[in-house]
Amino acid sequence: MILSDTYKHRGLRKILVDNLRRKGIKDEKVLSAINDVPRHLFLESGFINYAYKNQAFPIGSGQTISQPYTVAYQTSLLKVKPKEKILEIGTGSGYQTAVLIKMGAIVYTIERQHDLFIRTQQLLPELGFFPHFFFGDGYKGLPTYGPFDKILVTAGAPTIPKELLKQLRIGGRMVIPLGSNEGQTMFVYTRTGKDKYKEETHGKFSFVPMLKGTENKNNENT
Ligand code: SAH
């Protein structure tokens, strides 16, 4: 794959950002990160011409890269500040990871599909993005690396993963789509005390499911 960003791609990104603004995304720091990250380089080459449409696309292993609007919406809810330590569940293509890093965050990202983990671990540094990569089950989080300022779940969870709530620092926020395979509602949990959380709900979305355990190359569950 040729890792090039062209004048044409930059022009398409500007149009995408204008569309996201029209659809209600207001956080200029989020829009600026989306304007800067070359989304076409995160898609398989056959989909490159669609990279800047507001659509989800296959990234292999039955997974998808989230729509730009969804990425912008979740990132806005997270209220990212530079130097914050963020745990991301579902590395996938690495596009959302790159957006968080562009905003100055220090990102710890977990993926359960081994081939995606390997691919994205190679791609992101080539593009100049350096998160901490982990292969594992995001339901467990990363207890030894926490607490985190923010946690972002990019797959639809059937129930709230309790382990993740415990890994938020007091005052921290977790953004997570909760619901069934038919659709999820976006939730924001703010940890307000040792055992106290505030819950808010936002719009409806459609994510691939958050699954338990890990999956290796032969698609065997472990
Ligand atoms: N942030 C990604 C979105 C990918 S889709 C992007 O920008 O491309 C969601 C991803 O979550 C998939 O790659 C899927 O394999 C992963 N996933 C699902 N359940 C998981 C779990 N329990 N732990 C870690 N990753 C998980």
Coordinates of all heavy atoms in Angstrom, one line a residue, residues 96-189:
Q96 N -9.9 5.5 14.8 CA -10.4 6.2 16.0 C -9.1 6.5 17.0 O -9.0 7.6 17.5 CB -11.4 5.4 16.8 CG -11.8 5.9 18.2 CD -12.7 7.2 18.2 OE1 -13.8 7.1 17.9 NE2 -12.1 8.3 18.5
T97 N -8.3 5.5 17.1 CA -7.0 5.7 17.9 C -6.3 6.9 17.4 O -5.8 7.7 18.2 CB -6.2 4.4 17.7 OG1 -7.0 3.3 17.7 CG2 -5.1 4.3 18.8
A98 N -6.1 7.0 16.0 CA -5.3 8.1 15.4 C -6.0 9.4 15.7 O -5.3 10.4 16.0 CB -5.2 7.9 13.9
V99 N -7.3 9.5 15.7 CA -8.0 10.7 16.0 C -7.7 11.2 17.4 O -7.4 12.3 17.7 CB -9.6 10.6 15.7 CG1 -10.3 11.8 16.3 CG2 -9.8 10.5 14.2
L100 N -7.8 10.2 18.4 CA -7.5 10.6 19.8 C -6.0 11.0 19.9 O -5.8 12.0 20.7 CB -7.7 9.3 20.7 CG -9.2 8.8 20.7 CD1 -9.2 7.5 21.5 CD2 -10.1 9.9 21.4
I101 N -5.1 10.4 19.3 CA -3.7 10.8 19.4 C -3.5 12.2 18.8 O -2.8 13.0 19.3 CB -2.8 9.7 18.7 CG1 -2.8 8.4 19.5 CG2 -1.3 10.3 18.6 CD1 -2.1 7.3 18.9
K102 N -4.2 12.5 17.7 CA -4.1 13.8 17.1 C -4.5 14.9 18.0 O -4.1 16.0 18.0 CB -5.0 13.9 15.8 CG -4.4 13.8 14.5 CD -3.5 15.0 14.2 CE -2.7 14.8 12.9 NZ -1.4 15.0 12.8
M103 N -5.5 14.5 18.9 CA -6.0 15.5 19.9 C -5.1 15.6 21.1 O -5.4 16.2 22.1 CB -7.4 15.1 20.3 CG -8.4 15.2 19.1 SD -10.0 14.8 19.6 CE -10.5 16.3 20.5
G104 N -4.0 14.9 21.1 CA -3.0 15.0 22.2 C -3.1 14.0 23.3 O -2.4 14.0 24.3
A105 N -4.0 13.0 23.1 CA -4.2 12.0 24.1 C -3.1 10.9 24.1 O -2.4 10.7 23.0 CB -5.5 11.3 24.0
I106 N -2.9 10.2 25.2 CA -2.0 9.1 25.3 C -2.9 7.9 25.3 O -3.7 7.7 26.2 CB -1.1 9.1 26.6 CG1 -0.3 10.4 26.5 CG2 -0.3 7.9 26.8 CD1 0.1 11.0 27.8
V107 N -2.8 7.0 24.3 CA -3.9 6.0 24.1 C -3.4 4.6 24.3 O -2.3 4.2 23.8 CB -4.5 6.1 22.6 CG1 -5.6 5.1 22.5 CG2 -5.0 7.5 22.4
Y108 N -4.1 3.9 25.1 CA -3.9 2.4 25.3 C -5.1 1.8 24.6 O -6.3 2.1 24.9 CB -4.0 2.1 26.9 CG -2.9 2.7 27.6 CD1 -2.8 4.1 27.8 CD2 -1.9 1.9 28.2 CE1 -1.7 4.7 28.5 CE2 -0.8 2.5 28.9 CZ -0.7 3.8 29.0 OH 0.3 4.4 29.7
T109 N -4.8 0.9 23.7 CA -5.9 0.4 22.8 C -5.8 -1.2 22.8 O -4.8 -1.8 22.7 CB -5.9 1.0 21.4 OG1 -7.0 0.5 20.7 CG2 -4.6 0.7 20.6
I110 N -7.0 -1.8 23.0 CA -7.1 -3.3 23.1 C -7.9 -3.8 21.9 O -9.0 -3.3 21.6 CB -7.8 -3.7 24.3 CG1 -7.3 -3.0 25.6 CG2 -7.7 -5.2 24.5 CD1 -8.0 -3.5 26.9
E111 N -7.5 -4.9 21.3 CA -8.2 -5.5 20.2 C -8.2 -7.0 20.5 O -7.2 -7.6 20.9 CB -7.5 -5.3 18.8 CG -8.2 -6.0 17.6 CD -9.7 -5.7 17.5 OE1 -10.1 -4.6 17.4 OE2 -10.4 -6.8 17.4
R112 N -9.4 -7.7 20.2 CA -9.5 -9.1 20.5 C -9.3 -10.0 19.3 O -9.2 -11.2 19.4 CB -10.9 -9.4 21.1 CG -12.0 -9.2 20.2 CD -13.4 -9.6 20.8 NE -13.5 -11.0 21.0 CZ -13.8 -11.9 20.0 NH1 -13.9 -11.5 18.8 NH2 -13.9 -13.2 20.3
Q113 N -9.3 -9.4 18.1 CA -9.0 -10.2 16.8 C -7.5 -10.1 16.5 O -7.0 -9.0 16.2 CB -9.8 -9.5 15.7 CG -11.3 -9.6 15.7 CD -11.8 -10.8 15.0 OE1 -11.0 -11.6 14.5 NE2 -13.1 -11.0 15.0
H114 N -6.9 -11.3 16.5 CA -5.4 -11.2 16.4 C -4.9 -10.6 15.1 O -4.0 -9.9 15.1 CB -4.9 -12.6 16.6 CG -3.4 -12.6 16.9 ND1 -2.4 -12.9 16.0 CD2 -2.7 -12.3 18.0 CE1 -1.3 -12.8 16.5 NE2 -1.4 -12.4 17.8
D115 N -5.6 -11.0 14.0 CA -5.1 -10.4 12.7 C -5.2 -8.9 12.6 O -4.3 -8.2 12.1 CB -5.7 -11.1 11.5 CG -7.2 -11.2 11.6 OD1 -7.8 -10.8 12.6 OD2 -7.8 -11.7 10.6
L116 N -6.3 -8.4 13.2 CA -6.5 -6.9 13.2 C -5.4 -6.3 14.1 O -4.9 -5.2 13.8 CB -7.9 -6.5 13.7 CG -9.0 -6.6 12.7 CD1 -10.3 -6.2 13.4 CD2 -8.8 -5.6 11.5
F117 N -5.2 -6.9 15.2 CA -4.2 -6.4 16.2 C -2.8 -6.3 15.5 O -2.2 -5.2 15.6 CB -4.2 -7.3 17.4 CG -2.9 -7.2 18.2 CD1 -2.8 -6.1 19.1 CD2 -2.0 -8.2 18.2 CE1 -1.6 -6.1 19.9 CE2 -0.8 -8.1 18.9 CZ -0.6 -7.0 19.8
I118 N -2.5 -7.3 14.8 CA -1.1 -7.4 14.1 C -1.1 -6.3 13.0 O -0.1 -5.5 12.9 CB -0.9 -8.8 13.5 CG1 -0.8 -9.8 14.6 CG2 0.4 -8.7 12.6 CD1 0.5 -9.7 15.4
R119 N -2.2 -6.2 12.2 CA -2.2 -5.3 11.1 C -2.1 -3.9 11.5 O -1.3 -3.1 11.0 CB -3.4 -5.5 10.2 CG -3.4 -4.8 9.0 CD -4.4 -5.1 7.9 NE -5.4 -6.1 8.2 CZ -6.7 -5.8 8.0 NH1 -7.1 -4.7 7.5 NH2 -7.5 -6.8 8.2
T120 N -2.9 -3.5 12.5 CA -2.9 -2.1 13.0 C -1.7 -1.7 13.8 O -1.2 -0.6 13.7 CB -4.3 -1.9 13.8 OG1 -5.3 -2.2 12.9 CG2 -4.4 -0.4 14.2
Q121 N -1.1 -2.7 14.4 CA 0.1 -2.5 15.2 C 1.2 -2.1 14.2 O 2.2 -1.4 14.6 CB 0.5 -3.7 16.0 CG 1.5 -3.5 17.0 CD 1.8 -4.8 17.8 OE1 1.7 -5.9 17.2 NE2 2.2 -4.7 19.0
Q122 N 1.1 -2.6 13.0 CA 2.1 -2.2 12.0 C 1.8 -0.9 11.3 O 2.7 -0.1 11.1 CB 2.2 -3.4 10.9 CG 3.3 -3.2 10.0 CD 3.3 -4.2 8.9 OE1 2.8 -5.3 9.0 NE2 4.0 -3.9 7.8
L123 N 0.5 -0.7 11.0 CA 0.1 0.5 10.2 C 0.3 1.8 11.0 O 0.8 2.7 10.4 CB -1.4 0.3 9.8 CG -1.9 1.5 9.0 CD1 -1.3 1.7 7.6 CD2 -3.5 1.5 9.0
L124 N -0.2 1.9 12.2 CA -0.3 3.2 12.9 C 1.1 3.8 13.0 O 1.3 5.0 12.7 CB -1.0 3.0 14.2 CG -2.5 3.1 14.2 CD1 -3.1 3.0 15.6 CD2 -3.0 4.4 13.5
P125 N 2.1 3.1 13.5 CA 3.5 3.7 13.5 C 4.0 4.2 12.2 O 4.6 5.2 12.1 CB 4.4 2.6 14.1 CG 3.4 1.7 14.9 CD 2.1 1.7 14.0
E126 N 3.6 3.4 11.1 CA 4.0 3.9 9.8 C 3.4 5.2 9.4 O 3.9 6.0 8.6 CB 3.6 2.9 8.7 CG 4.4 1.6 8.6 CD 3.9 0.6 7.7 OE1 3.0 0.9 6.9 OE2 4.4 -0.6 7.7
L127 N 2.2 5.5 10.0 CA 1.6 6.8 9.8 C 1.9 7.8 10.8 O 1.4 8.9 10.8 CB 0.0 6.6 9.7 CG -0.5 5.6 8.7 CD1 -2.0 5.5 8.9 CD2 -0.2 6.1 7.3
G128 N 2.8 7.5 11.7 CA 3.3 8.4 12.7 C 2.4 8.4 14.0 O 2.5 9.4 14.8
F129 N 1.6 7.4 14.3 CA 0.8 7.3 15.5 C 1.3 6.2 16.4 O 1.5 5.1 15.9 CB -0.7 7.1 15.1 CG -1.3 8.2 14.3 CD1 -1.5 8.0 12.9 CD2 -1.7 9.4 14.9 CE1 -2.0 9.0 12.1 CE2 -2.2 10.4 14.1 CZ -2.4 10.2 12.7
F130 N 1.5 6.5 17.7 CA 2.1 5.6 18.6 C 1.3 5.3 19.8 O 1.7 5.8 20.9 CB 3.6 6.1 18.9 CG 4.4 6.2 17.7 CD1 4.6 7.4 17.1 CD2 5.1 5.1 17.2 CE1 5.4 7.6 15.9 CE2 5.9 5.2 16.0 CZ 6.0 6.5 15.4
P131 N 0.2 4.6 19.7 CA -0.5 4.2 20.9 C 0.2 3.0 21.6 O 1.2 2.5 21.1 CB -1.8 3.7 20.4 CG -1.5 3.2 19.1 CD -0.4 4.0 18.5
H132 N -0.2 2.6 22.8 CA 0.2 1.4 23.4 C -0.8 0.3 23.0 O -2.0 0.4 23.2 CB 0.2 1.5 24.9 CG 1.0 2.6 25.5 ND1 2.4 2.4 25.7 CD2 0.7 3.9 25.7 CE1 2.9 3.6 26.1 NE2 1.9 4.5 26.2
F133 N -0.3 -0.7 22.3 CA -1.2 -1.8 21.7 C -1.3 -3.0 22.6 O -0.3 -3.4 23.2 CB -0.6 -2.3 20.4 CG -0.7 -1.3 19.3 CD1 0.4 -0.6 18.9 CD2 -1.8 -1.1 18.5 CE1 0.4 0.3 17.8 CE2 -1.9 -0.3 17.4 CZ -0.7 0.4 17.1
F134 N -2.5 -3.5 22.8 CA -2.7 -4.7 23.5 C -3.6 -5.7 22.8 O -4.6 -5.2 22.2 CB -3.3 -4.4 24.9 CG -2.5 -3.5 25.8 CD1 -2.5 -2.2 25.6 CD2 -1.6 -4.1 26.7 CE1 -1.6 -1.4 26.4 CE2 -0.7 -3.3 27.5 CZ -0.8 -1.9 27.3
F135 N -3.3 -7.0 22.8 CA -4.1 -8.0 22.3 C -4.8 -8.6 23.5 O -4.2 -9.1 24.4 CB -3.3 -9.1 21.6 CG -4.1 -10.3 21.2 CD1 -5.2 -10.1 20.3 CD2 -3.8 -11.5 21.7 CE1 -6.0 -11.2 19.9 CE2 -4.6 -12.6 21.3 CZ -5.6 -12.5 20.4
G136 N -6.2 -8.6 23.5 CA -6.8 -9.2 24.7 C -8.3 -8.9 24.7 O -8.9 -8.4 23.7
D137 N -9.0 -9.2 25.8 CA -10.4 -9.0 25.9 C -10.7 -7.7 26.6 O -10.4 -7.6 27.8 CB -11.0 -10.2 26.7 CG -12.5 -10.1 26.9 OD1 -13.1 -9.0 26.5 OD2 -13.1 -11.0 27.5
G138 N -11.3 -6.8 25.9 CA -11.5 -5.5 26.4 C -12.5 -5.4 27.6 O -12.5 -4.5 28.4
Y139 N -13.3 -6.5 27.8 CA -14.1 -6.5 29.0 C -13.3 -6.4 30.3 O -13.8 -6.0 31.3 CB -14.9 -7.8 29.0 CG -16.2 -7.8 28.2 CD1 -16.2 -8.3 26.9 CD2 -17.4 -7.2 28.7 CE1 -17.4 -8.3 26.2 CE2 -18.5 -7.2 28.0 CZ -18.5 -7.7 26.7 OH -19.7 -7.6 25.9
K140 N -12.0 -6.9 30.2 CA -11.2 -6.9 31.4 C -10.4 -5.6 31.6 O -9.9 -5.3 32.6 CB -10.2 -8.0 31.3 CG -10.9 -9.4 31.2 CD -9.9 -10.5 31.2 CE -10.6 -11.9 31.2 NZ -9.9 -12.8 30.3
G141 N -10.4 -4.8 30.5 CA -9.6 -3.5 30.5 C -8.1 -3.8 30.7 O -7.6 -4.9 30.4
L142 N -7.4 -2.9 31.4 CA -6.0 -3.0 31.7 C -5.8 -2.5 33.1 O -5.3 -1.4 33.3 CB -5.2 -2.1 30.7 CG -5.2 -2.4 29.2 CD1 -4.5 -1.3 28.4 CD2 -4.5 -3.8 29.0
P143 N -6.1 -3.4 34.1 CA -6.1 -3.0 35.5 C -4.7 -2.5 35.9 O -4.6 -1.5 36.7 CB -6.5 -4.2 36.2 CG -6.6 -5.3 35.3 CD -6.7 -4.8 33.9
T144 N -3.6 -3.0 35.3 CA -2.3 -2.6 35.8 C -1.9 -1.3 35.2 O -0.9 -0.7 35.7 CB -1.2 -3.7 35.5 OG1 -1.3 -4.0 34.1 CG2 -1.4 -4.9 36.4
Y145 N -2.6 -0.8 34.2 CA -2.2 0.5 33.6 C -3.1 1.6 34.0 O -2.8 2.8 33.7 CB -2.2 0.4 32.0 CG -1.2 -0.6 31.5 CD1 -1.4 -1.9 31.4 CD2 0.1 -0.1 31.1 CE1 -0.4 -2.8 31.0 CE2 1.1 -0.9 30.6 CZ 0.8 -2.3 30.6 OH 1.8 -3.1 30.1
G146 N -4.2 1.3 34.7 CA -5.2 2.3 35.1 C -4.7 3.1 36.3 O -3.6 2.9 36.8
P147 N -5.5 4.1 36.8 CA -6.8 4.5 36.3 C -6.6 5.3 35.0 O -5.6 6.0 34.8 CB -7.4 5.2 37.4 CG -6.2 5.8 38.2 CD -5.1 4.8 38.0
F148 N -7.7 5.4 34.2 CA -7.7 6.2 33.0 C -8.6 7.4 33.2 O -9.6 7.4 33.9 CB -8.2 5.3 31.8 CG -7.3 4.1 31.6 CD1 -7.6 2.9 32.1 CD2 -6.2 4.3 30.7 CE1 -6.7 1.8 31.9 CE2 -5.3 3.2 30.5 CZ -5.6 2.0 31.1
D149 N -8.2 8.5 32.5 CA -9.0 9.7 32.5 C -10.3 9.5 31.7 O -11.3 10.0 32.1 CB -8.2 10.9 31.8 CG -6.9 11.2 32.6 OD1 -7.1 11.5 33.8 OD2 -5.8 11.1 32.0
K150 N -10.1 8.7 30.6 CA -11.3 8.5 29.8 C -11.2 7.0 29.3 O -10.1 6.5 29.1 CB -11.2 9.4 28.5 CG -11.1 10.9 28.8 CD -12.4 11.5 29.3 CE -12.3 12.8 30.0 NZ -11.9 13.9 29.2
I151 N -12.4 6.4 29.0 CA -12.5 5.1 28.4 C -13.5 5.2 27.3 O -14.6 5.7 27.4 CB -12.9 4.0 29.4 CG1 -11.9 3.9 30.6 CG2 -13.1 2.7 28.7 CD1 -12.2 2.9 31.6
L152 N -13.1 4.7 26.1 CA -13.9 4.7 24.9 C -14.1 3.3 24.4 O -13.2 2.6 24.1 CB -13.3 5.6 23.8 CG -14.0 5.6 22.5 CD1 -15.4 6.1 22.6 CD2 -13.2 6.5 21.5
V153 N -15.4 2.9 24.4 CA -15.7 1.5 23.9 C -16.3 1.7 22.5 O -17.2 2.4 22.3 CB -16.7 0.8 24.8 CG1 -17.0 -0.6 24.2 CG2 -16.1 0.7 26.2
T154 N -15.6 1.0 21.5 CA -16.1 1.2 20.1 C -16.8 0.0 19.5 O -16.8 -0.2 18.3 CB -14.9 1.7 19.2 OG1 -14.0 0.6 19.0 CG2 -14.2 2.9 19.7
A155 N -17.3 -0.9 20.4 CA -18.1 -2.0 20.0 C -19.4 -1.9 20.9 O -19.3 -1.4 22.0 CB -17.4 -3.3 20.1
G156 N -20.5 -2.5 20.4 CA -21.7 -2.5 21.1 C -21.8 -3.5 22.3 O -21.7 -4.7 22.0
A157 N -21.9 -3.1 23.5 CA -21.8 -4.0 24.6 C -23.3 -4.3 25.1 O -24.1 -3.4 25.2 CB -21.0 -3.4 25.8
P158 N -23.6 -5.6 25.4 CA -24.9 -6.0 25.8 C -25.2 -5.4 27.2 O -26.3 -5.1 27.5 CB -24.9 -7.5 25.8 CG -23.5 -7.9 25.7 CD -22.7 -6.8 25.2
T159 N -24.2 -5.4 28.1 CA -24.3 -4.9 29.4 C -23.1 -4.1 29.8 O -22.0 -4.2 29.2 CB -24.5 -6.0 30.5 OG1 -23.3 -6.9 30.3 CG2 -25.7 -6.8 30.3
I160 N -23.2 -3.3 30.8 CA -22.1 -2.4 31.2 C -20.9 -3.2 31.8 O -21.1 -4.0 32.7 CB -22.5 -1.3 32.2 CG1 -21.4 -0.5 32.6 CG2 -23.3 -1.8 33.3 CD1 -21.2 0.7 31.8
P161 N -19.7 -3.2 31.2 CA -18.6 -3.9 31.8 C -18.1 -3.3 33.1 O -17.5 -2.3 33.1 CB -17.5 -3.9 30.7 CG -18.2 -3.3 29.4 CD -19.3 -2.5 30.0
K162 N -18.4 -4.0 34.2 CA -18.1 -3.4 35.5 C -16.6 -3.2 35.7 O -16.2 -2.2 36.4 CB -18.6 -4.4 36.6 CG -20.1 -4.6 36.6 CD -20.8 -3.7 37.6 CE -22.2 -3.5 37.3 NZ -23.1 -4.6 36.9
E163 N -15.8 -4.1 35.2 CA -14.3 -3.9 35.3 C -13.8 -2.6 34.8 O -12.9 -2.0 35.3 CB -13.6 -5.1 34.6 CG -13.5 -6.3 35.4 CD -12.9 -6.1 36.7 OE1 -11.9 -5.5 36.9 OE2 -13.6 -6.6 37.7
L164 N -14.5 -2.2 33.7 CA -14.0 -0.9 33.0 C -14.4 0.3 33.9 O -13.6 1.2 34.1 CB -14.6 -0.8 31.7 CG -14.2 -1.8 30.6 CD1 -14.8 -1.5 29.3 CD2 -12.7 -1.8 30.5
L165 N -15.6 0.3 34.5 CA -16.0 1.4 35.4 C -14.9 1.6 36.5 O -14.6 2.7 36.9 CB -17.3 1.1 36.0 CG -18.6 1.3 35.1 CD1 -19.8 0.9 35.9 CD2 -18.7 2.7 34.6
K166 N -14.4 0.4 37.0 CA -13.5 0.5 38.2 C -12.1 1.1 37.7 O -11.4 1.6 38.6 CB -13.2 -0.9 38.7 CG -14.3 -1.5 39.5 CD -13.7 -2.8 40.1 CE -14.8 -3.9 40.1 NZ -14.2 -5.2 40.1
Q167 N -11.9 1.1 36.4 CA -10.6 1.6 35.9 C -10.6 3.1 35.5 O -9.6 3.6 35.0 CB -10.1 0.7 34.8 CG -9.7 -0.7 35.3 CD -9.4 -1.7 34.2 OE1 -8.9 -1.3 33.1 NE2 -9.7 -3.0 34.4
L168 N -11.8 3.7 35.8 CA -11.9 5.2 35.5 C -11.3 5.9 36.7 O -11.6 5.5 37.9 CB -13.3 5.5 35.4 CG -14.0 5.6 34.0 CD1 -15.4 6.2 34.2 CD2 -13.2 6.5 33.0
R169 N -10.6 7.0 36.5 CA -10.2 7.8 37.7 C -11.5 8.5 38.1 O -12.4 8.7 37.4 CB -9.1 8.7 37.4 CG -9.4 9.9 36.5 CD -8.4 11.0 36.6 NE -8.6 12.0 35.6 CZ -9.5 13.0 35.7 NH1 -10.3 13.1 36.8 NH2 -9.6 13.9 34.7
I170 N -11.5 9.0 39.4 CA -12.6 9.8 39.9 C -12.6 11.1 39.1 O -11.6 11.7 38.9 CB -12.5 10.0 41.4 CG1 -12.7 8.6 42.1 CG2 -13.6 11.0 41.9 CD1 -12.5 8.6 43.5
G171 N -13.8 11.4 38.5 CA -13.9 12.6 37.6 C -13.8 12.1 36.1 O -14.0 12.9 35.2
G172 N -13.4 10.9 35.9 CA -13.2 10.4 34.5 C -14.5 10.0 33.8 O -15.5 9.9 34.5
R173 N -14.5 9.9 32.5 CA -15.7 9.6 31.7 C -15.5 8.4 30.9 O -14.4 8.2 30.3 CB -16.0 10.8 30.7 CG -16.5 12.0 31.3 CD -16.3 13.2 30.3 NE -17.3 13.2 29.3 CZ -18.5 13.6 29.4 NH1 -19.0 14.0 30.6 NH2 -19.4 13.7 28.4
M174 N -16.5 7.6 30.8 CA -16.5 6.4 29.8 C -17.7 6.6 28.9 O -18.8 6.9 29.2 CB -16.7 5.1 30.6 CG -16.9 4.0 29.7 SD -16.5 2.4 30.4 CE -18.0 1.9 31.1
V175 N -17.4 6.5 27.6 CA -18.4 6.5 26.5 C -18.5 5.1 25.9 O -17.5 4.5 25.5 CB -17.9 7.5 25.4 CG1 -18.9 7.5 24.2 CG2 -17.8 8.9 26.0
I176 N -19.8 4.6 25.9 CA -20.0 3.2 25.6 C -21.4 3.0 24.9 O -22.4 3.5 25.5 CB -19.8 2.3 26.8 CG1 -20.1 0.8 26.5 CG2 -20.7 2.7 28.0 CD1 -19.6 -0.1 27.5
P177 N -21.4 2.4 23.8 CA -22.7 2.0 23.2 C -23.3 0.8 23.9 O -22.6 -0.3 23.9 CB -22.5 1.8 21.7 CG -21.0 1.6 21.6 CD -20.3 2.0 22.9
L178 N -24.5 0.8 24.4 CA -25.0 -0.3 25.2 C -26.3 -0.7 24.5 O -27.2 0.1 24.2 CB -25.4 0.1 26.6 CG -24.2 0.2 27.6 CD1 -24.7 0.7 28.9 CD2 -23.5 -1.1 27.7
G179 N -26.5 -2.0 24.2 CA -27.7 -2.5 23.7 C -27.5 -3.9 23.0 O -26.4 -4.5 23.2
S180 N -28.4 -4.3 22.2 CA -28.4 -5.6 21.5 C -27.7 -5.5 20.1 O -27.3 -4.4 19.7 CB -29.8 -6.1 21.3 OG -30.5 -5.3 20.4
N181 N -27.7 -6.6 19.4 CA -27.1 -6.5 18.0 C -28.0 -5.7 17.1 O -27.5 -5.2 16.1 CB -27.0 -7.9 17.4 CG -25.9 -8.7 18.1 OD1 -25.1 -8.1 18.8 ND2 -25.7 -10.0 17.7
E182 N -29.2 -5.5 17.5 CA -30.1 -4.7 16.6 C -29.8 -3.2 16.7 O -30.2 -2.4 15.8 CB -31.6 -4.9 17.0 CG -32.3 -6.0 16.2 CD -31.9 -7.4 16.7 OE1 -32.4 -7.7 17.8 OE2 -31.1 -8.0 16.1
G183 N -29.2 -2.7 17.7 CA -28.9 -1.3 17.9 C -28.5 -1.0 19.3 O -28.9 -1.7 20.2
Q184 N -27.8 0.1 19.5 CA -27.4 0.5 20.8 C -27.7 2.0 21.1 O -27.8 2.8 20.2 CB -25.9 0.3 21.0 CG -25.4 -1.2 20.7 CD -25.0 -1.3 19.2 OE1 -24.7 -0.4 18.6 NE2 -25.1 -2.6 18.7
T185 N -27.7 2.3 22.4 CA -27.8 3.7 22.8 C -26.5 4.1 23.3 O -25.8 3.4 24.0 CB -28.9 3.8 23.9 OG1 -30.1 3.3 23.4 CG2 -29.1 5.3 24.4
M186 N -26.1 5.4 23.0 CA -24.8 5.8 23.5 C -24.9 6.3 25.0 O -25.8 7.1 25.3 CB -24.3 7.0 22.7 CG -22.8 7.3 22.9 SD -21.8 5.9 22.2 CE -22.0 6.2 20.5
F187 N -24.1 5.7 25.9 CA -24.1 6.1 27.3 C -22.8 6.8 27.7 O -21.8 6.5 27.1 CB -24.3 4.8 28.2 CG -25.7 4.3 28.3 CD1 -26.3 3.6 27.3 CD2 -26.4 4.5 29.5 CE1 -27.6 3.1 27.4 CE2 -27.7 4.0 29.6 CZ -28.3 3.3 28.6
V188 N -22.9 7.7 28.6 CA -21.7 8.3 29.2 C -21.8 8.1 30.7 O -22.8 8.5 31.3 CB -21.6 9.8 28.9 CG1 -20.4 10.4 29.5 CG2 -21.6 10.1 27.4
Y189 N -20.8 7.5 31.2 CA -20.7 7.3 32.7 C -19.6 8.2 33.2 O -18.4 8.2 32.7 CB -20.3 5.9 33.1 CG -21.5 4.9 32.8 CD1 -21.7 4.3 31.6 CD2 -22.5 4.7 33.8 CE1 -22.8 3.5 31.3 CE2 -23.6 3.9 33.6 CZ -23.7 3.3 32.3 OH -24.8 2.5 32.1

